[in-house]
Every structure is written in C-alpha cells, then in structure tokens.
Amino acid sequence: MADIADQAMIRRASRQDATDDRALPPLAAAPVGAWRALAERAIEPNGYYQADWELAVDASARGRTGALLLSATGDAGQLIGLLPVIPMRRIYHVPLPALVGAEPYGTLCTPLLDRDAAEQAVAKMLQQARDAGAHALILRTMSLEGPAMAAIRAALAQDGLEPRLLSAWQRAQLDATRDADELLRDALGPKKLKELRRQRHRLTDHGAVRFDVARTPRAIAAALETFLALEASGWKGQRGTALSQHAGDATFIRRATLAMAESGRCEIVTLHAGGTAVAAGIVVRHQDRAFFFKIGIDERFARHSPGTQLTLELTRHLCADPAINSADSTAAPGHPMIDPLWRGRFAIGDVLLPLRRRDPLVTAIHAALTLNRLGYEAARGAVRLIRSRRGNPG
C-alpha cells in the first residue's frame, strides 16, 4: 500500500487536483427552509443531518466546524439532495483530492435525498464533487442497506462505477412497532428482567421512581442542564469528553436541542429516584425514526443499573408512540448496555465512492484510508491495554 500511495503521486495531487475549499459554498450558506423541507421528504431519515442539528454542530462543536455544502436541486429548483462535507486533508492530514461526509456528532452520515428524485440528487451531487476537484467521496458511518445507499449504487452504476466498502459492522436498533413488554421478555428473559425489577425496587429506597419526558423548549432547557451535569459527573467527565467541558460543545447542544424542540424533534428523558436524577438521555426524532444520542448517569447509583433502567423506560415510551417505527441506538458495535436490550440490527459502515473510472488517485485514497484505520485500531488497542492495567477497562 505504501507503494500505491507514493509521495510523488500525493504531491501531484496536492498541487493539481486537491479540492478547493472555495469551490463549494460553506454549509452555513444552505437555505434553511429548503433544507427542512428536504428532510421531510428524505428517502431515509437521518436525525443528525437535520438543519437545526447540523448547523448547530457546524457553528461551534469542537473539531466539527467549517463544513462545506454538497447539494443538488431539481428541475423546479427545489432542493433534492444535501450532504455536509469536509476536504480529506482536514480530517486525515493527507493532501489527496477527496471529500468526506462531515461527522455530525451523532454517528450517522447518510445524506438527505429526496424520495422522489434520489438517483438524480446523487448524480448531481457527485458531479458537483467532481467540479470541485474531488476524485472520491467518502461516507463514514453510512447506512449500508437502506434506500439511500441503493440510490447511490444506481447513480454510480450509470457512470460505470461502484462503491468500495472500507468497513462494516452491525448496530443495535429498536423495532418500536412491537409490544414493549413482549420485546423485552424476548431480549432479556425472565431471570434478567426479575433482577432488573429488583434493582428498580431498591431505587425506591431513595424516593419514588419516575420517568419524565421533556418535549417543550422550556422543559428541554431545564432537562438538558440535568443531563449535562450527570454526564460530566461520570467517566466522561474524568476523561474530559463530557459536552459541558468544552464551550463549543455546550453551545452546540444547547442550541440544537432548543431549536429542535420547537418542532417536536427532540426529547430528553430522565429517570428520578425521589428528588435525584439518576439517569438522563437525549433523543432526536426524524420522520418515523428516533435516534438515541447520548446518556448520562449518576454513578453513585451504579448498583441499580440506572442507564439500563432508563433505557427500559425509553423502550416502553418509543414502542407506545405510533409515530415511531424504529430507533437507532447510534452506539458502537457490541455495546454492553444497549445490545442486549435492542436486539434488532442494521448494517452500518464506511464507503468510498469513486468519481472517475480507472483513476489511480482513487487507489491512493483507498490505501491512505486503510493505513489510517489500521493505525487508529492499533492506537485504540494500546489505550485499552493501558486502562486494563490500571484497573479501568471502561
């Protein structure tokens, strides 16, 4: 791979073919009304690419600002496709001519495509990427088996191209069309459910247990501060990754949740024991799908499994909502809490979309991404080893 992605080729690419930030408009210039309308017509939901969420990310979230706009308009001038992107060199520090779907904090980069013109939207967006100097488009954490990917494959096939799969895994999801109690019995079995009921009962030693759902902007604003405090009080706070620990992240999440609450696309769920919040989570909604963004718990109550208790209540809440058919856990594969509860799975992965046939630069881009992934996995393994030796495997 080192021979393929040789330095001479990279130098030529950086001088002659590298994508120019000025060739695409900034994401902040996107027409918000048209973007919201497209989200309503999208062939596949992605809560994290809704305008109010992604614009808040782009404005202040740490390491996620300054995205560019890849878009397409239909014959009548309506917006039919949208994808926030970033030049490859800004993410991977390799000066190769490619664009990468911008990570919207939630781990899903499926583009918004008009259900009535999905293939046309993809074809126009690919051409816009070519015109900007890109030789490839990289979609990370993409839904691999949904209608958006089908439209992408069809549009590429028209040019004699096909996507290259970089990595793939299965992610937990909830089938919210089922009866919640039946679903949980099938997932956990009677013995585990009995143990969880015992733990919940012990929570009542600290006061009455209640599950609250904040929906209005005022309720969301108050519940968010509870969530932020819980998240910062735990291991995320110890590692410095809690949202409230970085001004830009805190600004993003306050702006996004409040804006989305205005149109009923965000909820914050909280589990209380008496006057104490023991767990809270942020849920984003888009069309008939919910997205479980983040969870925070009070680790003083760890023996009562507060995160699991909250997720049990959230499962019942979503299954009882006729507007929701499914929920994306947005969790890493093999997540120890969510995977046993939400037994549905869907394919997620990273794909490389070549923009020109028989293009040696695409091979170089592919090789660079492979080397980056191998280095990242090696670094993660080293971190896990260090933490396990310190007695802190989580």
Side-chain angles (χ1 to χ4, degrees):
M1 288 184 293
D3 290 337
I4 293 172
D6 64 74
Q7 291 302 308
M9 180 177 289
I10 290 176
R11 284 195 296 274
R12 288 196 301 273
S14 65
R15 288 197 304 269
Q16 300 171 6
D17 298 296
T19 49
D20 185 347
D21 286 9
R22 295 167 297 180
L24 293 172
L27 183 65
V32 176
W35 187 345
R36 289 174 178 156
L38 171 61
E40 293 302 311
R41 304 190 309 273
I43 196 170
E44 187 171 348
N46 182 353
Y48 303 121
Y49 272 167
Q50 294 181 95
D52 292 320
W53 184 274
E54 175 58 10
L55 286 173
V57 171
D58 186 63
S60 68
R62 185 169 50 109
R64 294 172 172 85
T65 60
L68 306 174
L69 174 63
L70 201 61
S71 64
T73 54
D75 297 335
Q78 77 279 24
L79 188 66
I80 60 173
L82 184 143
L83 175 68
V85 294
I86 296 174
M88 180 179 180
R89 67 178 181 276
R90 285 175 50 189
I91 298 175
Y92 298 103
H93 308 293
V94 176
L96 284 169
L99 293 168
V100 183
E103 201 276 311
Y105 230 118
T107 52
L108 188 64
C109 294
T110 303
L112 298 182
L113 305 173
D114 191 314
R115 66 172 67 97
D116 296 323
E119 289 184 32
Q120 180 188 13
V122 174
K124 288 190 171 185
M125 291 164 72
L126 295 179
Q127 187 58 51
Q128 188 184 28
R130 292 185 193 101
D131 293 344
H135 286 239
L137 177 62
I138 300 146
L139 300 177
R140 301 174 295 173
T141 57
M142 169 76 189
S143 172
L144 296 178
E145 297 174 353
M149 192 67 220
I152 290 169
R153 290 182 182 277
L156 285 172
Q158 293 176 9
D159 293 325
L161 300 167
E162 60 182 18
R164 298 188 182 191
L165 185 64
L166 301 172
S167 60
W169 60 96
Q170 296 290 312
R171 188 148 87 188
Q173 69 174 345
L174 170 68
D175 178 359
T177 65
R178 294 188 57 189
D179 174 78
D181 291 331
E182 177 185 289
L183 183 149
L184 291 171
R185 281 196 302 271
D186 289 347
L188 298 173
K191 183 176 180 180
K192 181 61 176 178
L193 279 174
K194 182 178 179 180
E195 172 62 17
L196 288 168
R197 284 194 295 269
R198 184 193 68 79
Q199 291 176 345
R200 180 186 172 93
H201 179 70
R202 293 305 302 269
L203 268 178
T204 61
D205 294 344
H206 304 275
V209 176
R210 74 179 192 278
F211 174 73
D212 290 338
V213 181
R215 297 184 180 90
T216 67
R218 175 178 288 186
I220 286 280
L224 178 62
E225 298 309 313
T226 298
F227 166 84
L228 291 173
L230 284 170
E231 188 191 38
S233 72
W235 62 266
K236 291 180 184 178
Q238 294 172 5
R239 292 187 191 173
T241 60
L243 287 167
S244 64
Q245 292 178 297
H246 301 274
D249 287 349
T251 298
F252 137 66
I253 197 61
R254 290 187 175 107
R255 171 180 165 177
T257 53
L258 187 62
M260 296 183 72
E262 295 282 355
S263 54
R265 288 171 291 122
C266 180
E267 297 176 337
I268 297 181
V269 295
T270 309
L271 188 69
H272 298 267
T276 303
V278 299
I282 299 174
V283 180
V284 174
R285 299 165 70 105
H286 184 201
Q287 297 182 3
D288 63 355
R289 193 159 173 82
F291 299 82
F292 195 2
F293 174 54
K294 279 184 179 290
I295 190 170
I297 67 169
D298 188 332
E299 294 184 357
R300 296 175 300 173
F301 295 83
R303 66 181 181 277
H304 304 299
S305 302
T308 302
Q309 300 291 349
L310 178 75
T311 306
L312 291 173
E313 294 294 344
L314 176 62
T315 301
R316 297 183 180 103
H317 168 64
L318 294 175
C319 287
D321 188 339
I324 297 297
N325 287 333
S326 63
D328 181 351
S329 67
T330 61
H335 192 281
M337 187 275 285
I338 200 72
D339 274 31
L341 290 174
W342 292 3
R343 291 299 183 94
R345 298 290 182 268
F346 74 106
I348 200 93
D350 300 341
V351 293
L352 184 154
L353 311 182
L355 300 180
R356 296 168 174 82
R357 282 184 284 181
R358 296 182 293 276
D359 185 352
L361 276 174
V362 171
T363 304
I365 292 165
H366 193 167
L369 291 168
T370 301
L371 289 170
N372 178 273
R373 178 175 57 82
L374 293 173
Y376 176 74
E377 291 174 353
R380 286 194 67 186
V383 169
R384 284 195 294 266
L385 178 62
I386 292 169
R387 285 177 180 157
S388 66
R389 288 180 174 177
R390 292 175 176 173
N392 180 23

